[in-house]
Amino acid sequence: MQRHEVTLTVNGRTSTVSVEPRKLLVDVLREDLGLSGAHIGCEHGVCGTCTVLRDGRSIRSCTTFAVQVDGAEIRTVEGLADGAELHPLQDEFWDKQGLQCGFCTPGMLMRACEIVEQKPDVSREEVREGIASNLCRCTGYQFITDAVCAAAARMHSGSSETSGAQA
Amino acid sequence: MKPPPFQYAAPTSVAEAVELLAAHADDDARTLAGGQSLVPLMNFRLAQPGYLVDLGRIEELTRIRTDGDTLVIGAMVRQSDAEHAPEVALRAPLLAEALGYVAHPPVRNSGTVGGSIAHADPAAELPAVALALDAELVVVGPQGTRTVRAADFFVGPFATAIEAGEILTEVRFPRRDGGQSFVEFARTHGNFALVGVASVIETDGATIARASIAMSGVAPVPVRATAAEETLAGSAPDDASIRAAVDAAVAGLSPSGDAHGSAETRTDIARSYLRRGIELALTRAQDRR
Amino acid sequence: MTTTDRPAAPPVRTHKEDRTWVGRSIRRVEDPKFLRGRGGYIGDMTVPGMLYAAVLRSPHAHAVIAGIDVVEALAAPGVHAVITGEQAAELCDPLPDFGPNPAAHTWRCLAVDKVRYVGEGVAVVVADSRYLAEDALALIEVEYEPLPAVVDPERALEDGAPLVHDDLGSNCAYERTFDFGDVERDFAEADVIVTDRLRWHRSGGQPLETVGAVADFDHATGALTVHTNSLSFTSYLFMVAGTMKIPANKLDIRPVPAGGSFGSKLFATKPAVIAGMCSRQVGRPVQYLEDRVDNMSNCDHHGSDRVYDVRLAVMRDGTIRGVDIDTVEDYGAYIQFGVGHHGNALAQVVGPYAMTSVRYRVRAALTNKNQQGAYRGFGSEVNNWMLEQMVDKAARELDLDPVELRRRNFIREFPHFIPTGNVYDSGDYDAVLDKALELSEYKRWRIEQAKAREEGRCIGIGLITAQERSVFSATEFWFWFDEPGAPVTSMPESVTLKVDATGGITATLYSCAFWGNSPETMVAQLVAEEFDCDPHDVSIVYQGSKNGLPATGPGGSRTTVMLAGAVEGATAKIKAKALRAAAHLLEANPDDLEWVDGGYQVKGVPEQRKSLADIAVMLHLFKHSFPEDMESGLEDSKVFDHPYTTMPSADRTDLGVFYPFMGHACHVPVVEVDLETGSVSFLAYAAVHDCGTLVNPRSLAGHIVGGTAQGIGTALYEEFVYDDDGQLLTSSFLDYLIPSAMEVPELRIAHHETPSPYTLHGIKGGGEGGRMMAPAAINVAVNDALAHLGVRVTELPITPDRLRAAIRAAESARGRE
Ligand SMILES: Cc1cc2nc3c(=O)[nH]c(=O)nc-3n(C[C@H](O)[C@H](O)[C@H](O)COP(=O)(O)OP(=O)(O)OC[C@H]3O[C@@H](n4cnc5c(N)ncnc54)[C@H](O)[C@@H]3O)c2cc1C
Ligand code: FES
Ligand code: FES
């Protein structure tokens, strides 16, 4: 089978992998690059557990062939924290219990990341509508909404202050 | 749910893409746009093209421009780019409004305007918009370029006037005045709609001058509600006219049912959303004046 | 049996009053790895040399398998093995099955001879990658001879219906009628008998992560190691070994975190067995991870699917005397848990109401559908829905206020034995109701409703009061039979606590799976409460089944109560040893010492003190400083058995105590119905739950919201729709509609705490709460919105289609008048 060289900059680190054209981006991230944060929930674009950012915008990595994003800048959940320090979104998800089983969490965090980066003063209603792109089977979304709003407020006010949590 | 194998090329020009399609016709070559319909189908192995020509690297297809009064959208313009483009808001607010109903932002960040129209899902928003706005679809193939009117473009569920080996390159939306609205009924947010209604209504003083209304989800292809348009044209912009128009449109409908709605329920919903869509377009037309 | 000769209840406990950690919404100790995308789910696991399996699913609902040709598939690139159903039947015995008479409806990991539902597996391919495995599936040629399918449960029970299992001779896997209390008298004396026919269609847990397993069979030792996100009934894993035809002591099943379960991963043996069988066949580790279509169509975990004919005996003043329930349940093609779902319902069949009699007839129908498993509520949520619809209908027929009618019938004295024999340990239903009326602004909404109605808008308020049983025991699975095959009574949970030489505490959980609940946080908080440490400093590990102590795992909202009992027991043993050690070190009498703030000290002399760390280091390293009989180390375990189970009576007029810790809730959704489209939207939603003493209030609130979201799915959106030929029409997330953030409203939540007299701190379980209540409440709300139009919906989910049909029917009935 014909293989293609694909170069991706993932969380700031550039790698080249040789893949079959049919290989889905989510599988390249998980298998070839060892980044298992993007999950597989449905493989038909609905659930959002595979959501990553391509050039700053959220996409489904299960309905994207890796060859299509050759040369792109990809961000995944693994790139959110700064070493020991959690990203405000992660910290607030923890504090507000915006997760239960955690399976939707990486995709949800990346979608939330796009939402708060696009609109720092995002409203609670906009957060709700925004995260409707991603399913969560556990939380009923309320505490996720709490967490995204709290993180947005923190990021917007420019305070680098975290609630002191390290994980 | 992994896609079947295929060969792949990502040309940088339309000409090259057309050549590749011709050269690999025997492998059931197909174009790949944003992949938001095609890749799920391949993951389910409901589509098994042997060769994919990825249009994603063709710069010329990613532009939004104006040509006189006409808004021209390149086939590979991402749905979310079109949704937020100022030219679209200004010249085809109907399209911008409809795009807000197409799936969710992460899907729209990949999915393209051309891909949605070429895919021709009977429940999709953009085909109905193209029909309501009398868009022209520019298609390039081995025989050159041709332009197809939206009215002639959608020939069946998931079937269009695009012939094997051809590529949709542009969608041209002629300028339309008046009020525009897109409304739809979907069971859950962002899912495919049971019924969608695209309306453009121009008023002229105390009467409705012209109405264009297209519907999705009620037939194998998007359809114009011609009877409603004719009823509205020349009549007063009031509830009675709207009711008459809705009745006229509904009388001509025979949607088929599925797990989400029987034919009867779809007709009920169509009746409701036709009214909402026409009312909204009319209000906007009057606000504009 | 009368109340007087019931076996004794456990002793009533006095609960510690000033709790430090229990009752605090601390950050969950599980979360950091998930937040960083390092959850370690089964799909994240790679083992050197691992291969991948994929299953070929039947496209037919019912067909004879006339032949399978695997030659081409075997020759395909990267393929290591292809195993057909016939070969699998040689390699493995039938799957573990708790159903009635399993030999008459034998269930295997792959179909043999005939397929019985769309999606049933017929062959499995093992290949270098999942991509290649799926390529090879396409090359397998199966010759099917289609048979007529039976998809309607009532039709399935009629004579002449196509037989799902020829060996059974009918499609009725189980039938029995139970009378509890004097049903005849209550119905004879009733002023009014309210009747209805109700239909609950099937939905399912559908966690975002599917079921999977990584199996590694070692031919050198004959040992099989399986990592899996399912199989929480760890005490029953010997049954899986039996299926695999290996000695039970050669099987090690190790839990990995699950991306949600909601019951669906309780005992999902099939993927583990398929992976194990493949690994044994190819001699390499094999991963079998369902894809979404497998998980929707071949998961063995669809939820309840019931038809009810119900009669409620009511007095003119609103007193409910008894209920007569006749239900047919569509189990699908197999019946792995028997009618346990109805045992569950019988635990709280009368709701919070002081009825005196119950008749319960159940018929289990087999059809050409994917079989049932467990889904949050395990059949009790359906009973709650049914009962609340009946109570609501009674209020309308008697023209009584629905809130007052409920209140009039509340049970107020505890412990209370209901007619089936189960006990309600404690509760305060008036308090919960009062809180809910206030929280929901019930009165204001009634005014809003009247105003809206004048404008032609249809607003409905759906107040329901219902039960939330917790901590199941095993009898519910077998009291159905006079001579049960396996009358098991043990459903324990175990914990080992180890205090290391520095005083650090590690808790070992025995296959008590994490699947989105918070076992680690619960144990950490409980341990912290006992030892006065920070819960985030408690380390938690899981043990595989091979070296495990007896454990049952989550299910029936039992985790927290059972872990608490085990933690308490292990703590007591450790503290006893620590006390003795401290007394020795302080040269004091143990009776003169007291536990204060993480150590033992002489009463009234705080400077005479040994912290846990002081004691631990001595016990670990200085054995010879202690009396001869003291062993080194500070570690102990507790196997905690179900604290309150009693046996059913021989004649089954009393089923005994099997679900004693009874939670309660009141849900009040306010909905608006769009008459034109038949869609339902929420204007408000309030929920008050009483699950006894709370360990982590925010976690429980999370379960309430999440469960309510699922209940909204069940009530309005989710359905596995099979057509008349048995084709599954909703086998993707585009058609099986899981509510998104836009379908789920903001909830107002309040807790009430009525401690259980019988558990540590008075904790009750609460993992299923939201879904136990929401479907009932939403249905009541929709009917409340439409009652003035003569519309009453008796079928879930309430889709636009069903609602429009009901509205059209009412309109044409009015037209005829
Ligand atoms: C979860 C989910 C929800 C969705 N919901 C909606 C919805 O509500 N409404 C809706 O309308 N859509 C919906 N979609 C589909 C989405 O809008 C797709 O983006 C769109 O239908 C196809 O566009 P694409 O660019 O992704 O095309 P692709 O998937 O790449 O292509 C689709 C088809 O069109 C052909 N094609 C594409 N471009 C061209 C071209 N330029 N010339 C010739 N042929 C071409 C391809 O060969 C292919 O057959 C949804 C998708 C998902 C995954
Ligand atoms: S796995 Fe990609 S959207 Fe579900
Ligand atoms: S936390 Fe389990 S799916 Fe969201």
Side-chain angles (χ1 to χ4, degrees), chain C residues 522 526 557-565 695 763-765:
Chain C
M522 294 302 131
L526 291 160
S557 295
R558 74 201 308 279
T559 306
T560 306
V561 168
M562 295 302 289
L563 287 175
V695 179
I763 302 166
K764 301 183 185 182

Side-chain angles (χ1 to χ4, degrees), chain A residues 44-46, chain B residues 30-38 55 75 79 101-103 107 111-112 115-116 118-119 124-125 162 166-168 190-192:
Chain A
H44 53 279
V46 182
Chain B
R30 264 171 96 167
T31 47
L32 172 66
Q36 297 308 290
S37 292
L38 188 53
L55 307 184
Q79 290 157 2
Y101 289 102
V102 176
V107 174
T112 64
S116 174
H119 190 57
E125 291 80 4
I162 304 174
E166 287 185 327
I167 290 171
L168 172 67
N191 208 329
F192 281 98

Side-chain angles (χ1 to χ4, degrees), chain C residues 51-55 124-127 129-130 133 274-275 278 286-289:
Chain C
L51 302 173
Y52 297 80
V55 168
V124 57
V125 170
V126 185
S129 75
R130 176 80 192 196
I274 288 175
C278 292
V286 173
Q287 179 202 76
Y288 173 57
L289 179 58

